[in-house]
């Protein structure tokens, strides 16, 4: 059995983890990135493709694909969900993630505190962030101080969702829900640094939320304990709402305000790029595993244990 992914996002994380756990790896790579991935010693894993879409035609027989953010960005959730690929992750969760209404339903039903959503522009009674449907990386978003400001910034023909704008620190926490060991592991935390929302805007302009990278974060321990509860509630909420299980990694994206209230505004049901900073381990993964354990390796370890227990099909939903 091989572990495969597409050459982008957290591919180095995934394939280096799979390799150390003794799996053969396959990295679907566009020609222009070949030298880059070969420079890390993955030349024998490369399968050169002209378009990421080509992975949909691969024979899924002996490859377990580990999805990451670029799968959805380049291929699209819908095509992936319909594909025959053996995907380590929950297609159902992917579906809920791709739909803004389902996404907020899941966060709310899991009992998480979420930013207030304003159904129509006329309901705006606080500073808001306006989000477009299906945007990636906050493209087309704007912030508005009030209703008039929102009217001024709206683009004709674009549909927006207005959310209370939370002032605070962006905290992204990654978890690993192990089916093989029947437990939730808190894996790491980071701050996603966005240009130029996180830079010092020196004039009154709309910020851009394009992600530059991730900065490691070690949380106050009392806060970490709250995040553990948030992760547990999310797993439980998903089960109650859909009957499904979440296999492996997921991330809850939050903002902590000055009163230490935690607002969850988004989730990702897969490995996130924020885990790239925790190679070879995070403080939390080291305590849990007592060895170097990064997310790509954790995924491979789980696949191995599920294979041994004949439970892998449960994780390939
Ligand atoms: P991605 O898919 O890459 O996670 P996205 O397009 O789904 O991005 P969000 O993650 O919802 O967009 O938001 C992008 C950024 O906008 C966040 O990282 C954060 O900086 C900001 N943001 C989102 N919602 C809020 C909110 N309610 N209050 C304050 N800032 C917010």
């Amino acid at each position: 059995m091989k572990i495969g992914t597409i050459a982008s996002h957290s591919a180095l994380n995934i394939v280096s983890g799979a390799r150390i756990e003794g799996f053969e790896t396959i990295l679907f790579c566009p020609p222009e990135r070949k030298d880059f991935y070969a420079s890390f010693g993955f030349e024998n894993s490369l399968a050169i493709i002209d378009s990421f879409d080509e992975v949909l035609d691969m024979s899924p027989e002996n490859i377990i694909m580990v999805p990451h953010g670029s799968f959805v960005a380049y291929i699209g959730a819908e095509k992936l969900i319909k594909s025959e690929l053996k995907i380590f992750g929950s297609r159902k969760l992917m579906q809920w993630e791709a739909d803004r209404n389902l996404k907020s339903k899941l966060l709310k039903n899991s009992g998480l505190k979420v930013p207030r959503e304003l159904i129509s522009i006329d309901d705006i009674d606080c500073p808001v962030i306006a989000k477009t449907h299906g945007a990636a990386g906050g493209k087309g978003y704007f912030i508005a101080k009030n209703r008039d400001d929102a009217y001024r910034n709206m683009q004709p023909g674009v549909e927006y969702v207005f959310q209370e704008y939370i002032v605070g620190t962006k905290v992204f926490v990654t978890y690993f829900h192990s089916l093989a060991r029947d437990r939730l592991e808190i894996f790491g935390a980071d701050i996603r640094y966005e240009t130029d929302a996180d830079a010092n805007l020196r004039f009154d302009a709309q910020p851009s939320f394009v992600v530059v990278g991730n900065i490691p974060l070690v949380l106050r321990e009392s806060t970490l304990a709250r995040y553990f509860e948030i992760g547990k509630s999310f797993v439980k909420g998903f089960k109650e709402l859909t009957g499904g299980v979440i296999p492996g990694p997921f991330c809850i994206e939050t903002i902590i305000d000055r009163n230490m209230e935690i607002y969850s505004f988004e989730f990702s049901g897969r490995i996130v790029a924020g885990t790239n900073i925790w190679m070879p381990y995070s403080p939390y993964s080291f305590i849990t595993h007592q060895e170097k354990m990064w997310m790509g390796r954790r995924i491979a370890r789980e696949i191995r244990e599920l294979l041994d227990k004949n439970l892998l099909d449960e994780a390939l939903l």
Side-chain angles (χ1 to χ4, degrees), residues 233-250:
S233 304
F234 186 72
V235 171
K236 189 162 165 261
F238 184 67
K239 177 131 210 188
E240 280 171 3
L241 217 46
T242 72
V245 288
I246 299 177
F250 67 95

Side-chain angles (χ1 to χ4, degrees), residues 142-294:
F142 67 81
I143 57 177
K145 287 191 213 80
N146 50 40
R147 193 182 311 151
D148 289 347
D149 201 13
Y151 270 116
R152 263 194 302 276
N153 280 288
M154 277 169 76
Q155 298 298 313
V158 179
E159 214 183 300
Y160 292 97
V161 170
F162 299 99
Q163 230 176 47
E164 173 189 9
Y165 185 82
I166 311 293
V167 178
T169 306
K170 272 169 292 178
V171 173
F172 289 53
V173 175
T174 337
Y175 304 84
F176 192 90
H177 184 231
S178 169
L179 304 187
R181 300 189 187 187
D182 190 23
R183 70 179 192 197
L184 182 69
E185 298 168 18
I186 204 155
F187 218 84
D190 66 276
I191 294 179
R192 184 201 267 181
Y193 197 86
E194 293 166 327
T195 177
D196 34 37
D198 293 315
N200 294 320
L201 277 183
R202 286 176 217 284
F203 50 92
D204 192 16
Q206 280 297 337
S208 148
F209 296 101
V210 173
V211 179
V212 178
N214 300 78
I215 300 175
L217 177 69
V218 175
L219 285 159
R220 286 164 61 169
E221 202 156 299
S222 54
T223 310
L224 187 66
R226 290 170 67 196
Y227 276 98
F228 186 61
E229 294 306 317
I230 287 176
K232 281 203 305 193
S233 304
F234 186 72
V235 171
K236 189 162 165 261
F238 184 67
K239 177 131 210 188
E240 280 171 3
L241 217 46
T242 72
V245 288
I246 299 177
F250 67 95
C251 173
I252 309 278
E253 308 182 4
T254 70
I255 298 172
I256 305 187
D257 76 3
R258 60 173 67 187
N259 300 316
M260 293 302 287
E261 290 288 353
I262 301 172
Y263 290 85
S264 303
F265 65 92
E266 168 77 284
F267 65 83
S268 295
R270 49 168 172 79
I271 186 171
V272 289
T275 62
N276 291 344
I277 52 182
W278 297 123
M279 286 185 273
Y281 52 82
S282 81
Y284 315 137
S285 72
F286 184 74
I287 299 165
T288 310
H289 293 277
Q290 297 290 302
E291 64 179 316
K292 290 176 182 167
M293 187 56 72
W294 60 100

